[in-house]
Amino acid sequence: MEASVPINDSQQPKVDYKIAPIVTSLLLCGFIGMFGETALNIALAQLMSEFSVSQTTIQWLTTGYLLVLGILVPISAVLLKWFTTRQLFIASVSLSIAGSLIAAIAPNFEILLTARIFQAAGTGLLLPLMFNTILIIFPPAKRGAAMGMMGLVIMFAPAIGPTIAGYLIQHLSWHWIFWISLAVLIIALLFGAAFLRNVSTVTRPKIDILSILLSSVGFGGIVFGFSKAGESEGWGSPVVIATLIAGGVALLLFAWRQLTMDKPMMDLRAFKYPMFTLAVIMLFIVMMVLLSSVLVLPMYLQMGLGKTALAAGLLLLPGGIVNGILSPVMGKLFDKYGPRWLVIPGLLIIAATLWFLSGITLVSTSAFIIALYTCLMIGISMVMMPAQTNGLNQLPRELYPDGTAIINTLQQVAGAIGTALAVSILSAGQTRKFIELGVNPEVMDEIYRQNLPIAMTSGVQNAFIFGLVTAIAAFVISLFIRRVIVKEAK
């Protein structure tokens, strides 16, 4: 019988909410946010050619997005206490609309990157709002299923994103990825404005400017430093070292200030709850694996195996669909059995799949890639929502905004670190292979292009070995997970 951690939830008042319109409004926007993020991955190879930029530069369309999230999401704990649900929803969707419009007409890399910043700002407001709202309107016994439904919608977007993007790129242009997003976001804004109701309590605590500054420098510095290290300057660059040190020091000062304030911007006392802390660590690692994999695999498929953007998207489609379908199933299983019998096997599946992915070659079949990616998505569906829901269940109601802000912040930071490290490892492995083959990686001539698939595959193998090591670490941590039993108010 599984051990559990009982938590008293009797202090939480019971209120009846019109759940359907609230959840529909939030999930529609979350769907488009995830669609726009993953759909762009399939276009990176074409964007590198069209804008004449390198792999390490093009990654900023992903890393820059995560950098803004890493800076903005920590502030969300305060924003959730200062503004109503409707106000934050309208602001987040408006920013996403602006970003989609700018991206749709972007003529160069710089403007497209600017658009991604607007999109990230919108998503940075929306993600904590979604999770905080779910925690408020659903009782603990039904949160697993609710989180699973959220996972279905949010994961279905990245499932179909690469396929739709591949089709658009092949028949129209990558700009249409954002025209489609723009249309759906406008519909979501109108729907939300009509039906979304306020569910949170506005307390308007004092805003601590120093905390915001330390948070921005800390999280932003860490993300920027890791991302910069993925570029040609490498880990020995003075800029990289200085940025990482500055970010680390700022984070330590931020943590110290939050723990000594009566009303902190982000209440780090949430970490005194052990299941929440375990969930944060596991989600951090799994997010590194997930975002690095969905960035590296399309590069391998297109630049290694020579697939078109559409073909690459179709190969990733089954795994994403399976993940989306399984999310509500895993949510219901979590409500019934708890996290232990989902999270531990899920991490074993992730580790085994990454081991097989580290051995892919130029003769790996499409069926083999589809099977591996599907297994990876199955494992991730078994870990993400169960671990997150179990961790948040242990927090008292007043720490919900802080808990969701902590998880979402560290997930975005993890994604940025994971993609930066993966691209750095990929690029280093690719360069080493070029040198082994007697090819100058700095001269992109015909010999370079002929050997690019071999070098790219070698780099991708190294990137997946990195993912395997992190997944094993998460598995060891998962052995300590216990179910949180919440005693509801009568």
Side-chain angles (χ1 to χ4, degrees):
M1 185 175 179
E2 182 182 358
S4 62
V5 181
I7 296 296
N8 193 332
D9 201 38
S10 61
Q11 300 301 315
Q12 301 184 15
K14 301 184 72 173
V15 182
D16 290 328
Y17 296 105
K18 295 181 179 179
I19 292 176
I22 294 174
V23 173
T24 301
S25 303
L26 295 172
L27 291 185
L28 196 57
C29 295
F31 177 91
I32 287 300
M34 294 303 297
F35 169 81
E37 181 174 350
T38 60
L40 195 61
N41 284 344
I42 209 74
L44 292 182
Q46 178 178 334
L47 292 171
M48 286 169 58
S49 175
E50 183 173 329
F51 295 146
S52 299
V53 295
S54 66
Q55 292 174 2
T56 52
T57 300
I58 204 69
Q59 78 163 3
W60 277 95
L61 293 178
T62 297
T63 307
Y65 186 93
L66 297 173
L67 175 62
V68 175
L69 290 180
I71 293 174
L72 183 60
V73 174
I75 305 172
S76 67
V78 171
L79 296 178
L80 286 168
K81 299 170 185 175
W82 260 84
F83 299 99
T84 66
T85 308
R86 284 174 56 83
Q87 288 172 334
L88 287 176
F89 173 81
I90 292 173
S92 67
V93 181
S94 298
L95 286 169
S96 296
I97 287 174
S100 297
L101 178 59
I102 295 171
I105 60 176
N108 54 47
F109 173 78
E110 290 76 17
I111 292 180
L112 182 57
L113 181 58
T114 302
R116 295 291 285 167
I117 292 173
F118 276 94
Q119 288 182 311
T123 305
L125 291 176
L126 182 66
L127 286 176
L129 179 65
M130 287 177 60
F131 286 104
N132 189 65
T133 302
I134 291 295
L135 289 172
I136 292 175
I137 66 177
F138 283 95
K142 296 182 179 179
R143 283 178 193 158
M147 290 286 192
M149 185 58 65
M150 182 186 298
L152 167 64
V153 175
I154 292 178
M155 289 309 299
F156 185 66
I160 66 170
T163 305
I164 293 177
Y167 179 85
L168 294 173
I169 291 169
Q170 188 163 314
H171 295 281
L172 295 168
S173 74
W174 59 266
H175 296 273
W176 280 90
I177 296 172
F178 299 102
W179 284 122
I180 290 176
S181 298
L182 178 64
V184 178
L185 283 169
I186 291 174
I187 294 173
L189 178 62
L190 295 175
F191 186 85
F195 297 107
L196 187 65
R197 294 294 175 262
N198 297 319
V199 300
S200 58
T201 302
V202 177
T203 58
R204 293 187 176 169
K206 181 180 178 181
I207 296 178
D208 183 50
I209 301 300
L210 181 57
S211 291
I212 293 176
L213 179 62
L214 290 173
S215 169
S216 300
V217 173
F219 290 111
I222 293 294
V223 173
F224 180 83
F226 273 95
S227 303
K228 197 69 175 175
E231 299 183 16
S232 57
E233 297 176 46
W235 295 94
S237 164
V239 174
V240 171
I241 295 173
T243 306
L244 289 176
I245 291 175
V249 171
L251 279 183
L252 288 175
L253 292 174
F254 172 75
W256 174 79
R257 184 164 180 81
Q258 301 316 295
L259 291 172
T260 55
M261 294 177 65
D262 292 331
K263 295 182 178 180
M265 183 184 88
M266 179 188 287
D267 198 337
L268 300 183
R269 283 178 280 266
F271 281 109
K272 76 178 184 179
Y273 296 90
M275 291 305 105
F276 174 79
T277 302
L278 278 180
V280 169
I281 296 172
M282 285 188 291
L283 292 170
F284 188 93
I285 294 174
V286 171
M287 185 59 69
M288 287 178 63
V289 171
L290 174 60
L291 290 188
S292 61
S293 297
V294 298
L295 181 68
V296 167
L297 260 181
M299 289 185 176
Y300 161 73
L301 292 172
Q302 294 178 76
M303 302 174 71
L305 299 186
K307 304 289 185 183
T308 64
L310 178 57
L314 288 171
L315 288 177
L316 300 181
L317 180 61
I321 290 177
V322 168
N323 184 291
I325 292 173
L326 285 180
S327 289
V329 175
M330 295 303 169
K332 291 180 180 179
L333 289 174
F334 166 81
D335 286 336
K336 189 172 183 179
Y337 299 109
R340 190 173 179 82
W341 304 110
L342 296 172
V343 173
I344 294 177
L347 284 166
L348 279 176
I349 293 173
I350 292 172
T353 304
L354 290 170
W355 183 77
F356 280 108
L357 282 170
S358 69
I360 55 178
T361 66
L362 291 177
V363 296
S364 296
T365 64
S366 295
F368 184 61
I369 300 300
I370 291 173
L372 289 180
Y373 186 67
T374 301
C375 287
L376 181 64
M377 292 296 102
I378 290 172
I380 287 173
S381 71
M382 296 173 71
V383 177
M384 290 290 288
M385 288 302 175
Q388 179 164 298
T389 307
N390 193 66
L392 289 172
N393 273 349
Q394 198 174 22
L395 299 181
R397 183 184 179 95
E398 62 271 14
L399 286 180
Y400 285 169
D402 303 283
T404 56
I406 290 169
I407 285 180
N408 282 289
T409 298
L410 293 182
Q411 281 186 357
Q412 307 314 319
V413 173
I417 291 175
T419 53
L421 287 175
V423 170
S424 178
I425 293 169
L426 187 156
S427 299
Q430 180 176 295
T431 299
R432 282 196 302 270
K433 193 64 178 180
F434 272 130
I435 294 173
E436 288 178 15
L437 297 170
V439 178
N440 185 350
E442 301 297 327
V443 180
M444 297 183 183
D445 53 12
E446 185 60 29
I447 298 177
Y448 172 93
R449 285 187 287 273
Q450 289 175 357
N451 288 279
L452 178 59
I454 299 174
M456 168 62 70
T457 302
S458 179
V460 167
Q461 290 172 345
N462 292 342
F464 282 122
I465 290 174
F466 156 71
L468 171 60
V469 173
T470 59
I472 292 173
F475 169 74
V476 173
I477 294 170
S478 72
L479 298 176
F480 298 94
I481 195 170
R482 297 291 183 270
R483 183 175 191 174
V484 174
I485 303 296
V486 184
K487 298 179 180 178
E488 298 180 57
K490 296 182 179 180

